[in-house]
Amino acid sequence: MGRPPSLNELLGSKSRIKKDGLVKPKFLSKSEREKLVEPLITVHDQQDSRSRPGKREVVELSEDEDRQDYVKPTVVKRTKFNFDWNEDSDTLAGYEPIVNQRLSSLLRNEQRKSALELTYMGKPWQEKTLEEMTDRDWRILKEDFEITTKGGSVENPLRNWHELGILGKELENILVKRLGYKEPTPIQRIAIPNICRKDKRDFLGIASTGSGKTLAFLIPIMTRMNNSQPRPIAVKTLEGPKAVILAPTRELAQQIQEEAKKMIDCWNLQHPQHAYQVVSIVGGHSLEEITFHLSKGIDILVATPGRLIDSLENHLFSAKQVETLVLDEADRMIDLGFEEQLTKILNILEASSEVTTRRQTVMFTATMSPSIERIANGYLHKPAYATVRGTEASVPQIRQIIYHILTDEQRFQKVKALLSEYSPPIIIFITYKKTADWLAQKFYQETSVKVTVLHGSKSQEQREHSLQLLRTGKVQVMIASNVAARGLDIPNVSLVINFQVPKQFEDYVHRIGRTGRAGSKGTAVSFLSDEENPEIVKAIWKYSRDNDPTNSNEFDYSLKTLYKLGQNEMNEIIL
Ligand code: ADP
Ligand code: MG
């Protein structure tokens, strides 16, 4: 075998190049290039059967390409189009770019699940066994449920209640058969396996209201208890609770306790000898009452920060065995100024802890803010973070109607008219207690509608009673202050009326969020006068304009003129 030609030889004399059949590089003149155009179009047309008739193309060769060696029209530059083809000759008609759609959503639609897609994509995750799941499948699953995680080594979400065997058969039966929770919600999918980790890694979950956060921490607490030795009552009384849940308001604490009780009552039926106890201690309950409850031996304690500190300082129970601490609605706790109290609680728990392994801290919030970030950094140790973006089903389906009505009397007449259109339960929010009492009186005098009143000056017992009356349908209407605005879950509220708008815009969002929960539709009607804070009016107007899932929001035109809404928009954009 001869030696390979050197570079010099390759670039050498004309004769050598000719001998090897090579052609000397040569630049074409413009006229020579133009002559090439016609034959090359033919080549291109033959190759691309989808070329459209009537289309004229100009093929431009790059400067250094040789005319004779040219075989494929690689550099095709269309300089001129005549859109003169018929509709039916457009092969792109009906073309749907599947890359713009979520492939998994295509796959969920059986009709579109073509053999071709299956060949290229394999089975969708729903049809795979656990062993068949690839990293990519897990990613798609997370995308499907709009779950994002961070913090490294975060456990994969649940595909269903049973698969990983985390919950155990009995608990699964209670959830599905007794309580009717067929599938976990997205936040439950990601929170449960992460909170149930053996190493008790801390967890921070961010998900909107109504997304099922309560069970996302109650199920792991229950699971952990089921997996450990049953404790006789005497031991429980000595050791204290295994889990402590902190909630910002009394009503929320009680709601959590009730949700836990539903699950626990079913469990206790089958395990009467080791029945679990969940107790809530909130402001308004007497120390004697609390002591009585605690003496029965508790497993789960739900509390508001203030009451918990009282009880810990008065040594009403021991906190040495607390394995899981949950901070629910952390954003609300910060808003209400509980940050200092939280630090105190954590310090007391730390000092009294006797848990052999570490104590787990779990935090849930609907919004992420710098202060949440700060307490997460301060209280959580290398947590797994999981965020669930609002999915279609969890975007509250609330229709917002904003009326311009001046006097309380006129507003009451409007309320009466609305009550005949909507079914109970209905919540009417007021800002001043005086109005609440006046309104209740009006209902009593002029209608046969049964109402209950809930505001901060009522005793705890009265507040609980009010909620119970509304939940059980004994009254149709609840007149409430902001106390009831956040987090409370009263099923099937069809209508929320802002008889008076709140002082803070944020409360508007929370108030109207009492309706349209868990995928059902709701309506929020608000009354505005001539003398509102213009900032609030503007914020409500913008919010109702930008959040209109049913495309039927209404904002009284006279308010727009009065408060000059939308008039400076152009200036704002230009500036
Ligand atoms: P959040 O705390 O996120 O605001 P909640 O825990 O109060 O939400 O739950 C909202 C509603 O959803 C409750 O009525 C609850 O019973 C219901 N829920 C919770 N988990 C499920 C589930 N897996 N399937 C169906 N409904 C659920
Ligand atoms: Mg909640």
Side-chain angles (χ1 to χ4, degrees):
M1 217 165 74
R3 66 178 174 84
S6 72
L7 195 61
N8 275 342
E9 284 167 330
L10 282 173
L11 295 172
S13 69
K14 202 173 166 181
S15 61
R16 165 139 183 88
I17 292 167
K18 270 186 181 158
K19 203 172 97 200
D20 287 22
L22 297 171
V23 179
K24 186 186 176 191
K26 165 183 170 237
F27 294 116
L28 300 181
S29 69
K30 191 174 178 207
S31 61
E32 281 175 307
R33 290 208 307 269
E34 278 170 1
K35 264 191 241 151
L36 283 172
V37 169
E38 284 308 314
L40 286 174
I41 286 174
T42 320
V43 171
H44 182 79
D45 276 349
Q46 279 163 359
Q47 288 194 343
D48 185 359
S49 59
R50 281 188 307 175
S51 266
R52 297 180 178 112
K55 182 173 59 177
R56 286 193 53 81
E57 289 170 307
V58 175
V59 179
E60 198 176 78
L61 292 177
S62 58
E63 293 286 303
D64 53 355
E65 263 179 306
D66 189 291
R67 180 194 181 293
Q68 285 131 315
D69 284 342
Y70 188 87
V71 282
K72 50 180 185 281
T74 43
V75 184
V76 177
K77 191 169 163 191
R78 298 185 174 100
T79 55
K80 201 171 169 192
F81 287 100
N82 287 323
F83 294 99
D84 55 358
W85 59 78
N86 297 326
E87 281 286 298
D88 54 6
S89 54
D90 182 1
T91 53
L92 280 176
Y95 166 71
E96 287 182 61
I98 56 168
V99 282
N100 288 345
Q101 300 182 17
R102 297 252 297 282
L103 289 175
S104 45
S105 70
L106 282 176
L107 281 173
R108 256 189 259 140
N109 185 338
E110 286 298 316
Q111 284 168 349
R112 289 173 187 242
K113 196 171 43 172
S114 68
L116 190 71
E117 279 167 25
L118 281 178
T119 314
Y120 283 101
M121 299 184 47
K123 284 190 283 187
W125 64 261
Q126 291 91 335
E127 290 171 20
K128 285 190 173 179
T129 62
L130 197 56
E131 292 71 39
E132 285 174 327
M133 291 288 286
T134 61
D135 282 351
R136 187 170 170 282
D137 291 322
W138 287 115
R139 274 210 309 274
I140 291 173
L141 184 156
K142 283 190 186 173
E143 249 176 52
D144 281 355
F145 293 111
E146 302 195 75
I147 298 170
T148 46
T149 53
K150 87 179 180 172
S153 315
V154 179
E155 297 291 320
N156 284 326
L158 293 181
R159 304 198 308 165
N160 46 48
W161 289 126
H162 57 268
E163 199 166 65
L164 299 174
I166 294 179
L167 273 59
K169 199 80 204 133
E170 269 183 278
L171 188 51
E172 186 202 330
N173 269 341
I174 290 172
L175 290 170
V176 178
K177 301 211 173 114
R178 300 290 192 87
L179 304 176
Y181 300 146
K182 303 259 173 310
E183 292 277 329
T185 66
I187 188 67
Q188 291 163 3
R189 285 176 197 270
I190 190 68
I192 292 169
N194 278 290
I195 303 177
C196 285
R197 276 166 72 123
K198 291 230 159 43
D199 61 5
K200 295 191 185 158
R201 181 180 182 185
D202 287 351
F203 180 82
L204 172 58
I206 306 151
S208 59
T209 14
S211 55
K213 293 191 286 292
T214 319
L215 281 180
F217 58 79
L218 283 177
I219 292 172
I221 288 174
M222 183 89 173
T223 305
R224 187 158 287 150
M225 293 193 318
N226 293 347
N227 290 341
S228 46
Q229 282 287 330
R231 301 185 302 163
I233 292 179
V235 175
K236 286 188 201 180
T237 323
L238 267 180
E239 289 185 348
K242 283 281 186 188
V244 169
I245 300 159
L246 277 173
T249 64
R250 314 163 185 190
E251 282 74 18
L252 266 169
Q254 267 155 349
Q255 198 174 294
I256 296 168
Q257 190 239 1
E258 276 161 29
E259 187 96 32
K261 200 161 177 314
K262 273 197 267 173
M263 202 164 55
I264 281 178
D265 281 349
C266 299
W267 177 271
N268 289 351
L269 277 179
Q270 279 146 35
H271 304 268
Q273 72 284 22
H274 291 300
Y276 291 136
Q277 277 270 15
V278 52
V279 166
S280 69
I281 51 171
V282 293
H285 284 166
S286 69
L287 283 185
E288 289 76 33
E289 251 180 292
I290 297 174
T291 318
F292 171 72
H293 280 303
L294 299 181
S295 69
K296 290 191 283 185
I298 34 171
D299 298 282
I300 303 174
L301 181 74
V302 193
T304 46
R307 221 33 172 164
L308 184 67
I309 291 181
D310 270 3
S311 317
L312 286 169
E313 286 180 343
N314 285 305
H315 303 287
L316 293 192
F317 71 93
S318 158
K320 60 186 179 187
Q321 281 291 323
V322 177
E323 282 183 307
T324 313
L325 172 71
V326 180
L327 313 179
D328 192 22
E329 306 239 2
D331 43 355
R332 176 76 166 144
M333 294 215 232
I334 299 294
D335 288 353
L336 292 174
F338 286 141
E339 203 169 339
E340 212 174 293
Q341 301 195 356
L342 287 181
T343 320
K344 196 164 179 181
I345 290 169
L346 281 150
N347 288 340
I348 301 177
L349 288 184
E350 204 56 58
S352 58
S353 179
E354 247 183 37
V355 187
T356 38
T357 50
R358 66 177 297 272
R359 192 190 57 241
Q360 179 182 43
T361 309
V362 172
M363 209 164 106
F364 280 94
T365 173
T367 51
M368 199 61 196
S369 64
S371 43
I372 295 292
E373 194 109 39
R374 193 173 60 242
I375 59 168
N377 288 339
Y379 302 150
L380 307 185
H381 178 70
K382 293 196 180 139
Y385 292 82
T387 308
V388 175
R389 252 210 351 240
T391 53
E392 197 57 35
S394 69
V395 170
Q397 298 287 305
I398 305 169
R399 177 181 181 210
Q400 298 172 63
I401 306 173
I402 294 100
Y403 290 120
H404 184 195
I405 306 180
L406 302 185
T407 67
D408 282 355
E409 184 58 43
Q410 288 167 327
R411 290 178 179 191
F412 180 66
Q413 294 313 320
K414 186 72 194 175
V415 169
K416 280 206 294 190
L418 287 167
L419 291 194
S420 61
E421 287 174 43
Y422 293 86
S423 47
I426 289 167
I427 304 181
I428 304 179
F429 281 105
I430 42 83
T431 305
Y432 301 102
K433 282 173 224 145
K434 207 172 67 194
T435 319
D437 296 334
W438 175 82
L439 203 53
Q441 190 66 17
K442 287 290 271 186
F443 269 109
Y444 181 69
Q445 287 167 347
E446 296 187 22
T447 71
S448 53
V449 175
K450 293 205 182 71
V451 300
T452 181
V453 181
L454 178 94
H455 56 62
S457 324
K458 298 270 172 185
S459 75
Q460 180 58 18
E461 240 170 52
Q462 285 170 320
R463 285 161 67 167
E464 280 162 33
H465 187 59
S466 288
L467 283 173
Q468 206 52 28
L469 289 175
L470 189 71
R471 284 206 174 104
T472 51
K474 297 215 171 71
V475 303
Q476 293 91 45
V477 173
M478 180 166 81
I479 302 169
S481 67
N482 285 340
V483 165
R486 286 234 197 177
L488 277 192
D489 183 42
I490 298 152
N492 308 321
V493 173
S494 68
L495 175 67
V496 163
I497 300 174
N498 280 311
F499 196 84
Q500 291 158 329
V501 281
K503 293 191 183 124
Q504 309 277 333
F505 168 68
E506 244 185 47
D507 288 322
Y508 173 81
V509 179
H510 289 294
R511 284 178 174 192
I512 72 170
R514 295 314 98 210
T515 184
R517 286 173 72 77
S520 63
K521 287 205 164 72
T523 304
V525 173
S526 305
F527 301 145
L528 299 190
S529 73
D530 290 354
E531 287 152 15
E532 309 291 352
N533 170 356
E535 290 303 310
I536 290 265
V537 181
K538 191 171 179 190
I540 294 178
W541 169 67
K542 278 196 172 163
Y543 187 81
S544 68
R545 183 193 62 187
D546 299 340
N547 296 276
D548 190 3
T550 56
N551 227 354
S552 56
N553 285 356
E554 289 172 37
F555 195 96
D556 212 321
Y557 194 78
S558 60
L559 286 168
K560 285 188 196 164
T561 323
L562 185 68
Y563 289 92
K564 298 189 172 60
L565 299 170
Q567 294 179 5
N568 297 324
E569 289 268 292
M570 282 313 282
N571 291 346
E572 278 173 24
I573 294 166
I574 293 162
L575 292 170

